[in-house]
Amino acid sequence: MDKTLKTLIEKTDFEALFAKKGYAFFTNGDYNVNIIGVRNLLSATKSGDIYKNVQRDQFDDALVLIYKVDGKWKKEIFENTTDPGLKLLKNPSNSNGTAILVPGQYRSTYKIDLHNGKYKALCQRSGLVSVYRDKNRNNVLDMDPKTIQKGYFGINIHKAGVGSELIGGYSAGCQVFKKVADFNHFMDVINKAKDRFGNTFTYTLITTEDLK
């Protein structure tokens, strides 16, 4: 993981950040999880409201899991991608373009369910999400507010393959763990959360711009 990204995450008080942004931060009880994606824009360029970031097909973002166990806080950081892979960026499966999840808090939008009918993951089942649509088929992620669509797009939180180094076709907009072991640990925590609070989860996507 990029050292600058990891350091920014480690130093951030997410509860204070969420309060500033008007987001919910869950503090009541053990395993009341805060699931946070951090998009790495450290090398991105910005023109007006449009961010552009070269897609190198690397798992260069992070998923942060913050929760209590026995009343004590845990902050766990995992390698993931919050962006579509190069294969599907260049070959969109949607005529409007490849989906890139828009930063924001998606309250009670996710449930444990089968991802593509294959294995249990966190799936978009009970709420809408917003995505940018990138349709120019190059290696640059174009995050243009003018292209935003809102709906059910199957933007799930799942895993790549065993030992995956490249995103490849694992993400067409989904939030994807690089390491299977990390994903398995994540799902173990999520299942404990479900047992206590029910099968409804909130996912919050922010960017490194929020952490500076």
Side-chain angles (χ1 to χ4, degrees), residues 68-207:
K68 290 179 183 177
V69 178
D70 296 328
K72 296 181 180 180
W73 283 108
K74 294 176 71 72
K75 180 194 284 187
E76 299 176 328
I77 306 169
F78 307 103
E79 292 178 283
N80 89 327
T81 181
T82 66
D83 306 318
L86 196 56
K87 177 180 178 180
L88 292 166
L89 191 61
K90 289 187 173 183
N91 299 280
S93 56
N94 187 299
S95 61
N96 293 308
T98 303
I100 305 171
L101 187 64
V102 175
Q105 184 167 74
Y106 298 99
R107 291 289 303 272
S108 303
T109 296
Y110 285 82
K111 293 186 175 183
I112 299 173
D113 204 348
L114 292 179
H115 171 65
N116 287 340
K118 296 178 180 178
Y119 61 88
K120 288 184 178 179
L122 272 189
C123 301
Q124 183 199 357
R125 291 291 185 266
S126 53
L128 306 179
V129 301
S130 295
V131 299
Y132 304 108
R133 288 292 181 183
D134 185 338
K135 62 186 299 182
N136 58 8
R137 297 173 180 262
N138 62 16
N139 68 335
V140 177
L141 296 154
D142 295 299
M143 290 162 272
D144 183 347
K146 292 180 181 178
T147 69
I148 290 176
Q149 293 183 338
K150 193 171 186 177
Y152 283 95
F153 304 120
I155 304 297
N156 298 340
I157 303 172
H158 64 91
K159 63 183 176 180
V162 176
S164 298
E165 292 299 325
L166 300 178
I167 301 167
Y170 283 110
S171 176
C174 288
Q175 318 292 281
V176 183
F177 280 78
K178 177 181 180 180
K179 298 177 181 177
V180 172
D182 289 347
F183 174 76
N184 290 342
H185 170 75
F186 170 77
M187 289 304 298
D188 181 60
V189 174
I190 293 302
N191 275 291
K192 289 175 180 176
K194 178 179 76 72
D195 290 342
R196 290 163 172 79
F197 299 100
N199 191 16
T200 304
F201 296 89
T202 293
Y203 177 61
T204 307
L205 177 62
I206 61 173
T207 77

Side-chain angles (χ1 to χ4, degrees), residues 31-46:
Y31 293 99
N32 199 355
V33 291
N34 296 278
I35 308 166
I36 306 162
V38 182
R39 176 171 289 145
N40 187 345
L41 296 180
L42 294 173
S43 299
T45 60
K46 186 180 182 184

Side-chain angles (χ1 to χ4, degrees), residues 14-40:
F14 283 90
E15 186 173 0
L17 173 63
F18 278 31
K20 183 179 178 180
K21 294 180 75 69
Y23 293 164
F25 189 86
F26 305 109
T27 62
N28 182 28
D30 288 352
Y31 293 99
N32 199 355
V33 291
N34 296 278
I35 308 166
I36 306 162
V38 182
R39 176 171 289 145
N40 187 345

